[in-house]
Amino acid sequence: MGYTHFQVAQPTTVGKRACLWIQDFLYDLADLDYVKDGMRLLGNKGTTGTQASFLELFDGDHAKVKLLEQKIAEKMGFNAVFPVSGQTYTRKEDARICNVLAGIAQSAYKFANDLRLLQNLKEVEEPFEKGQVGSSAMAYKRNPMRSERICSLARYVTCSAVNPQLTASVQWLERTLDDSANKRLAVAECFLATDALLNIVINVANGMVVYPKVIEKHMTENLPFIATENILMEGVKRGGDRQELHERIRRHSMEAARVIKEEGGTCDLLDRIASDPAFNLTKQDILEVLRPENYIGRAPQQVDEFLHDYVDGVLTDFECPASGELKV
């Protein structure tokens, strides 16, 4: 089932929902590549960024100062240096980097949070080991602990990314010590926490379990309500009056919902409609209208197109030539 406001909506597919998670991570990968490729080294700039001491070292030869800086950058694996700086490079660089990490954390949080909801519905579960204890008090429970840890760490990364933004904002003139003290904590911990949460994401994604029978049960319970417009049209094709049939479906739907909510009964909407002569439909006629694949639109095609056009190439880029396995 698809859900909006965590209320039953039009059906979708498991693959389509997974593609929503993947698409977010692809955004992060693109941001990561963009920021990584644009990173610069501070270079040899000196006390206030003027390179005065280096110019003196090379007897006023500006070309040698620039050449030295270029060689240092190459040695450190950078393609470029900051053209201007104070004593330190602009802390906007740290903010940009941590924003990418925060973006990864957001995607992981969305994935894990969705999984927590789906585990409550018993449609999809994170991996659960044979001897794993789901709850210290209630032995029957299978708490989504890994997904909860992902959310916890992701929230930490998202909040920590604010620190570099504030540091960049208050970097006084050529520098002050508070930018370095804060940076050493915030940037390092953003990286460590993101690394940790991605390791859990990999673990959860590799062992995720889908329960088709539960999904089918939920579809059977809810599809009759979702399909009422199609049933209405089928009744009109067989000679019924649209306004009259619409009112009858409304009343049947309200009563069927009441039985479920107030009496704890099962959905009998189809039986009600089939036994109503105004529709001129048998139970089998209605079941034909109720085939789930009639309500998922282009979801299967969207998945195939997305994987082919956007995902396959990325996976190829990260494949180890010898083994064919992904580089993680």
Side-chain angles (χ1 to χ4, degrees):
M1 296 305 306
Y3 294 88
T4 60
H5 310 272
F6 201 39
Q7 305 297 311
V8 170
Q10 288 184 339
T12 183
T13 67
V14 174
K16 172 62 188 301
R17 184 174 279 131
C19 285
L20 294 175
W21 300 329
I22 296 169
Q23 181 172 250
D24 284 351
F25 281 117
L26 288 182
Y27 264 110
D28 300 323
L29 183 60
D31 289 345
L32 175 64
D33 286 340
Y34 177 77
V35 171
K36 181 170 64 71
D37 292 344
M39 285 178 62
R40 298 171 177 177
L41 185 69
L42 170 63
N44 45 288
K45 293 294 196 296
T47 306
T48 58
T50 64
Q51 298 181 303
S53 55
F54 292 95
L55 192 61
E56 183 177 348
L57 178 66
F58 290 114
D59 298 322
D61 191 329
H62 292 266
K64 285 185 178 179
V65 175
K66 293 180 68 175
L67 181 60
L68 174 64
E69 193 166 54
Q70 178 187 328
K71 288 183 175 295
I72 291 173
E74 291 172 357
K75 193 76 173 176
M76 297 292 289
F78 285 84
N79 295 321
V81 297
F82 283 98
V84 293
S85 75
Q87 187 179 108
T88 61
Y89 62 81
T90 171
R91 294 308 189 220
K92 284 186 72 70
E93 181 85 331
D94 295 339
R96 291 180 80 202
I97 291 167
C98 288
N99 283 342
V100 173
L101 300 181
I104 295 170
Q106 292 160 26
S107 301
Y109 205 142
K110 163 67 174 168
F111 163 65
N113 221 29
D114 280 358
L115 202 56
R116 291 163 68 185
L117 296 173
L118 292 170
Q119 185 149 329
N120 175 263
L121 297 172
K122 297 178 174 60
E123 291 185 352
V124 183
E125 279 188 350
E126 66 175 40
F128 194 86
E129 307 301 331
K130 185 176 180 181
Q132 183 176 332
V133 176
S135 166
S136 58
M138 294 163 277
Y140 67 89
K141 292 185 74 179
R142 292 165 72 105
N143 296 334
M145 294 182 290
R146 302 178 204 202
S147 297
E148 289 169 347
R149 284 204 299 275
I150 292 170
C151 293
S152 177
L153 289 168
R155 190 159 61 244
Y156 178 81
V157 173
T158 304
C159 293
S160 295
V162 176
N163 259 315
Q165 296 172 18
L166 296 174
T167 298
S169 303
V170 298
Q171 191 181 20
W172 286 10
L173 304 176
E174 277 66 47
R175 73 106 22 119
T176 61
L177 189 58
D178 63 322
D179 74 339
S180 294
N182 185 288
K183 162 194 168 68
R184 290 188 183 105
L185 289 172
V187 177
E189 291 188 2
C190 269
F191 272 100
L192 291 169
T194 303
D195 190 60
L197 71 85
L198 283 176
N199 278 325
I200 308 173
V201 167
I202 292 168
N203 176 269
V204 170
N206 281 341
M208 195 161 50
V209 181
V210 178
Y211 294 105
K213 290 297 182 183
V214 178
I215 294 172
E216 183 181 350
K217 176 176 179 288
H218 289 164
M219 195 69 72
T220 302
E221 291 171 346
N222 292 289
L223 199 54
F225 296 100
I226 296 169
T228 50
E229 184 177 357
N230 294 53
I231 295 171
L232 172 64
M233 292 299 100
E234 192 64 30
V236 171
K237 286 180 185 177
R238 301 188 181 214
D241 178 85
R242 188 191 183 285
Q243 291 301 111
E244 180 190 354
L245 295 185
H246 184 280
E247 175 58 22
R248 285 175 177 268
I249 280 185
R250 188 190 70 81
R251 292 203 302 266
H252 289 320
S253 298
M254 294 300 106
E255 184 57 24
R258 186 197 65 78
V259 169
I260 294 171
K261 294 175 181 178
E262 296 182 11
E263 300 177 13
T266 57
C267 178
D268 61 356
L269 179 59
L270 300 188
D271 294 323
R272 291 174 183 275
I273 294 174
S275 61
D276 188 331
F279 289 89
N280 195 25
L281 293 169
T282 66
K283 180 77 172 287
Q284 188 57 43
D285 292 332
I286 298 172
L287 289 175
E288 283 298 311
V289 176
L290 252 65
R291 293 170 64 189
E293 56 266 33
N294 294 339
Y295 299 88
I296 56 175
R298 294 193 68 252
Q301 290 75 20
Q302 286 180 350
V303 170
D304 289 340
E305 291 164 6
F306 174 69
L307 294 177
H308 178 269
D309 297 342
Y310 295 93
V311 178
D312 288 348
V314 174
L315 294 180
T316 301
D317 290 342
F318 283 86
E319 223 173 60
C320 293
S323 64
E325 295 179 354
L326 290 182
K327 293 180 284 187
V328 177

